[in-house]
Amino acid sequence: MARMSDPLIVGRVIGDVLDSFSPTTKMFVTYANKQVFNGHEFYPSAVVMKPRVEIQGGDLRTFYTLVMTDPDVPGPSDPYLREHLHWLVTDIPGTTDATFGKELASYEIPKPNIGIHRFVFVLFKQTGRQTVKNLPTSRDVRKWIGLRWITGGI
């Protein structure tokens, strides 16, 4: 369960994108050798290439789905479009990185037009291999079926 001082609560990721959860696996996101932490700001030029996403925990028989979403579309003061999917990778074996998974939505470079946006990386533990076969019809991460939260946004 998340604490009130948790950056995911302070940054409104819990509530806007995710329901409260207890992490069970660690995920590390790195852009050009600079690790991403909750609340860190990056210039657009630093996020042109897709990041390296490493999973620690699990084993090679456990599979994960990675989602990168922007909950602040078109702008943080009036995000009426809500989430925009920037990246979706499924079937990532545990203890590896996202390059070993199946990319269902290729990495889309973040290009916010208005204000500073939150870009959220979420990792799901799949119930089996190939749980997610197609792009979800909803951009609301909480509505996706067949997956369960294991780690949260960065």
Side-chain angles (χ1 to χ4, degrees):
M1 192 62 112
R3 299 178 314 273
M4 291 307 288
S5 63
D6 186 323
L8 297 177
I9 292 175
V10 173
R12 296 181 342 270
V13 172
I14 301 290
D16 287 355
V17 180
L18 302 170
D19 294 328
S20 189
F21 65 95
S22 296
T24 61
T25 301
K26 289 187 179 185
M27 168 179 62
F28 298 95
V29 179
T30 308
Y31 279 101
N33 297 322
K34 184 175 180 187
Q35 189 170 349
V36 177
F37 294 98
N38 291 318
H40 281 193
E41 294 181 13
F42 283 80
Y43 290 108
S45 61
V47 296
V48 172
M49 302 300 292
K50 77 173 87 168
R52 178 174 173 84
V53 178
E54 298 175 80
I55 301 168
Q56 284 189 351
D59 56 53
L60 294 176
R61 295 169 292 165
T62 306
F63 296 94
Y64 299 90
T65 293
L66 171 72
V67 176
M68 178 184 174
T69 185
D70 175 357
D72 298 322
V73 178
S77 62
D78 186 21
Y80 64 88
L81 295 176
R82 271 296 182 217
E83 294 187 43
H84 179 80
L85 181 66
H86 277 270
W87 197 22
L88 178 63
V89 184
T90 65
D91 296 328
I92 306 167
T95 71
T96 66
D97 63 64
T99 59
F100 289 93
K102 179 181 177 186
E103 210 173 49
L104 290 186
S106 60
Y107 180 75
E108 180 182 307
I109 300 168
K111 296 179 187 175
N113 293 340
I114 304 168
I116 296 173
H117 288 230
R118 298 168 293 162
F119 292 91
V120 180
F121 292 87
V122 182
L123 190 65
F124 296 94
K125 183 176 183 180
Q126 295 178 195
T127 55
R129 192 163 194 169
Q130 297 179 349
T131 301
V132 180
K133 294 184 179 12
N134 300 305
L135 286 172
T137 56
S138 169
R139 291 195 183 270
D140 184 342
V141 174
R142 286 179 283 204
K143 291 183 180 176
W144 295 1
I145 299 171
L147 303 170
R148 120 180 119 85
W149 304 114
I150 59 155
T151 191
I154 294 182

